């Protein structure tokens, strides 16, 4: 019988947290943007730590992918800490850092597609491709149009957090979350 690795449990917890944050943001649309900044800051720190752990676990197996995971993780943690420590100014910073986080996280996940396809299978592979391409498109839209970021962040970011959470849960319960 195969044992569960820490990666599967970590992905499961991250998935649940991201889904809860996304649903909460959808359920309370009139919540102040400052509260959302704080919630997204926490999510960014959690995802950043997961990317750094992914770097530590897979850096010996592949070349460029883990390095991008490390960069994505560091950017995510930095973004999250700025948003948590300075939520009022985080609203302004959000228009630049949040799109960069979306883009960095999307690239990081896309770089690991070969590993995901090999270990988790084609269905999860295609799901991950679609989710992260959506994240890249949203990231570039927000980066090039800051007004777009401020006006649509609740809907798009909430939906994307839910999709990222589902992606993490699916990966956690797939063969990727098991030791081979």
């Amino acid at each position: 019988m195969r044992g569960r690795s820490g990666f599967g449990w970590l992905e499961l917890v991250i998935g649940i947290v991201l889904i809860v944050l996304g649903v909460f943001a959808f359920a309370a649309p009139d919540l102040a943007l400052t509260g959302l900044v704080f919630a997204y800051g926490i999510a960014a720190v959690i995802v950043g730590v997961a990317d750094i752990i992914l770097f530590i676990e897979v850096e010996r197996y592949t070349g460029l992918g883990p390095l991008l995971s490390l960069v994505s993780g560091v950017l995510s943690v930095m973004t999250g800490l700025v948003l948590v420590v300075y939520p009022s100014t985080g609203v302004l910073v959000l228009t630049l850092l949040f799109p960069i986080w979306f883009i960095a996280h999307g690239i990081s996940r896309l770089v690991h597609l070969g590993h995901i396809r090999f270990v988790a299978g084609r269905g999860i592979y295609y799901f991950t491709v679609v989710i992260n391409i959506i994240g890249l498109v949203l990231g570039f839209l927000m980066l090039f149009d800051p007004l777009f970021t401020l006006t649509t962040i609740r809907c798009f970011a909430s939906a994307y957090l839910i999709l990222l959470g589902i992606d993490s849960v699916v990966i956690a319960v797939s063969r990727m979350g098991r030791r081979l």
Side-chain angles (χ1 to χ4, degrees):
M1 185 158 122
R2 293 182 174 150
R4 298 294 291 176
S5 70
F7 182 70
W9 286 108
L10 179 63
E11 282 291 317
L12 181 64
V13 169
I14 288 169
I16 291 169
V17 168
L18 290 173
I19 291 169
V20 167
L21 286 173
V23 168
F24 180 71
F26 264 136
D30 48 336
L31 184 65
L33 189 55
T34 304
L36 286 175
V37 167
F38 189 77
Y40 291 133
I42 291 170
V45 169
I46 291 170
V47 170
V49 169
D51 281 346
I52 293 169
I53 290 172
L54 179 65
F55 165 78
I56 292 167
E57 288 194 6
V58 300
E59 66 90 16
R60 66 180 175 256
Y61 299 117
T62 58
L64 181 62
L67 181 60
L68 288 173
S69 223
L70 178 64
V71 170
S72 169
V74 170
L75 282 174
S76 292
V77 170
M78 286 173 35
T79 300
L81 289 176
V82 166
L83 296 176
V84 168
V85 173
Y86 303 108
S88 58
T89 58
V91 173
L92 298 175
V93 174
L94 184 69
T95 60
L96 179 62
L97 290 180
F98 206 62
I100 291 172
W101 173 49
F102 267 48
I103 293 167
H105 184 72
I107 290 171
S108 171
R109 288 293 181 140
L110 289 173
V111 168
H112 293 96
L113 284 177
H115 181 68
I116 290 172
R117 186 175 193 170
F118 177 72
V119 176
R122 290 176 61 168
I124 294 171
Y125 167 82
Y126 290 120
F127 183 73
T128 301
V129 167
V130 169
I131 295 305
N132 288 291
I133 288 174
I134 290 171
L136 284 174
V137 169
L138 286 175
F140 281 110
L141 282 173
M142 289 187 291
L143 187 63
F144 293 121
D145 189 0
L147 184 60
F148 174 80
T149 304
L150 290 174
T151 58
T152 62
I153 197 164
R154 280 184 274 168
C155 291
F156 286 130
S158 299
Y160 186 61
L161 285 174
I162 292 170
L163 290 175
L164 274 179
I166 292 169
D167 184 44
S168 290
V169 169
V170 168
I171 287 174
V173 298
S174 75
R175 290 182 299 181
M176 259 186 94
R178 296 194 174 123
R179 287 190 182 131
L180 298 175

